[in-house]
Amino acid sequence: MHQKDHFTDEVVKLTDVTFAYNGTPVLENINLSVQVGEFLALIGPNGAAKSTLMKLMVGLLKPKAGEVRLFGQDIKRFCDWNRIGYVSQQAAHVNTAFPATVEEVVSSGFYSGFGKLFDSKKRQEAVEHAMKLTGISELSRRLVGELSGGQRQKVFVAKALVKNPEALFLDEPTTGIDAASQQEFYNLLMDLNRNEGITVVIITHDIGAAFGKAKKIGCVRDKGVYIHENTNEVTQEHIAEVLGYKLS
Ligand SMILES: Nc1ncnc2c1ncn2[C@@H]1O[C@H](COP(=O)(O)OP(=O)(O)O)[C@@H](O)[C@H]1O
Ligand SMILES: [Mg+2]
């Protein structure tokens, strides 16, 4: 049994976190925690600092004040990056002319960030497992540039899954994808959450889908995050009104 210094049920915890770009605060005194096994959807208007919040959670930005902990450990000392997977808002906007196959893109997940190295046989197994989990095994030899938006998003999720993370952070992964593929994508995330026990934190504008799948909703606005612990607690209409969204 692997002995952990810090045993915790918390994937990420932010305490009094403040962040500013060039002296302009965009997040102030954020307190938020995500437990192991949770499915949290973060919603909010454009420019509300959703992406910034997620970058703070995955260590791509450092808070100006306050503390971020990953798996119970201060993020400043955290180095077990294999435990989390991150799909950035830009992930799917790949150069479609770049001649990389699906399998190559998924494999490249091994080279992003730090973490322990795997031997080539284990790597291949992990690539195949990640493609199987995301339902893209059939596409392995195809060029990513030739795929549909929905298929391409699954490739980037597979890439993020290749190091077998315990938590996935996804920044607007379904933008520009048709409704049917969006639904399929949320079903995939649900399966990963329920069957593989992967904690999911997703930034999304699909309120309808978020309500169906996420157990907890966080509204990001006015430099804060307002958590609704239970999606039964609020109505879609309420959130749409607060955020100025139109429900489709
Ligand atoms: N690298 C940056 N430098 C300066 N300002 C930024 C930078 N990234 C984002 N911002 C600003 O911070 C605010 C929050 O941005 P972002 O986190 O991307 O919001 P969201 O993801 O909710 O649309 C916006 O006003 C944006 O213009
Ligand atoms: Mg964003």
Side-chain angles (χ1 to χ4, degrees):
M1 184 77 188
H2 187 62
Q3 206 65 38
K4 295 223 164 73
D5 297 345
H6 303 269
F7 181 78
T8 175
D9 287 336
E10 244 155 21
V11 172
V12 60
K13 184 181 171 78
L14 281 72
T15 309
D16 297 326
V17 165
T18 291
F19 186 83
Y21 288 109
N22 313 316
T24 309
V26 294
L27 291 168
E28 277 176 341
N29 296 314
I30 304 295
N31 288 287
L32 172 69
S33 78
V34 180
Q35 308 291 309
V36 169
E38 252 177 9
F39 193 132
L40 168 69
L42 294 171
I43 62 173
N46 284 326
K50 302 179 298 298
S51 295
T52 303
L53 178 64
M54 187 167 277
K55 286 176 187 164
L56 287 162
M57 290 177 172
V58 301
L60 290 172
L61 291 174
K62 291 189 177 68
K64 302 297 168 213
E67 185 192 59
V68 180
R69 298 181 86 82
L70 273 176
F71 299 102
Q73 199 172 19
D74 190 327
I75 201 162
K76 291 186 205 121
R77 287 190 296 276
F78 188 80
C79 50
D80 216 353
W81 297 104
N82 292 346
R83 296 180 77 180
I84 61 167
Y86 169 61
V87 181
S88 78
Q89 195 167 357
Q90 282 77 34
H93 305 281
V94 286
N95 178 355
T96 48
F98 188 72
T101 65
V102 166
E103 192 173 333
E104 284 164 348
V105 172
V106 176
S107 303
S108 71
F110 278 111
Y111 307 106
S112 48
F114 299 97
K116 60 178 180 288
L117 295 168
F118 295 75
D119 69 52
S120 62
K121 184 163 171 276
K122 281 212 179 97
R123 250 189 342 238
Q124 190 54 33
E125 280 168 11
V127 167
E128 274 161 28
H129 184 61
M131 291 195 296
K132 195 167 165 212
L133 280 179
T134 49
I136 57 167
S137 304
E138 306 288 288
L139 303 174
S140 66
R141 309 270 169 215
R142 297 268 301 276
L143 295 176
V144 276
E146 293 171 353
L147 303 180
S148 71
Q151 289 173 325
R152 205 177 296 154
Q153 276 303 6
K154 290 186 195 166
V155 174
F156 286 94
V157 172
K159 177 185 169 187
L161 284 175
V162 87
K163 291 195 269 191
N164 197 22
E166 291 156 66
L168 263 187
F169 294 82
L170 308 130
D171 192 346
E172 296 195 31
T174 56
T175 307
I177 296 177
D178 65 80
S181 307
Q182 278 187 11
Q183 205 51 53
E184 197 185 314
F185 189 81
Y186 278 100
N187 289 337
L188 163 64
L189 294 182
M190 277 287 273
D191 287 346
L192 293 173
N193 180 244
R194 283 191 183 161
N195 306 337
E196 309 297 320
I198 295 174
T199 305
V200 177
V201 180
I202 182 172
I203 297 173
T204 180
H205 288 288
D206 321 324
I207 310 182
F211 262 72
K213 308 292 185 239
K215 292 170 201 126
K216 192 163 125 176
I217 304 257
C219 296
V220 184
R221 66 186 171 104
D222 306 329
K223 302 181 193 133
V225 184
Y226 303 87
I227 295 289
H228 300 280
E229 286 293 342
N230 187 329
T231 48
N232 301 329
E233 201 181 89
V234 281
T235 63
Q236 289 189 45
E237 287 73 17
H238 168 75
I239 293 212
E241 191 192 312
V242 166
L243 298 173
Y245 285 167
K246 280 198 286 291
L247 284 176
S248 47

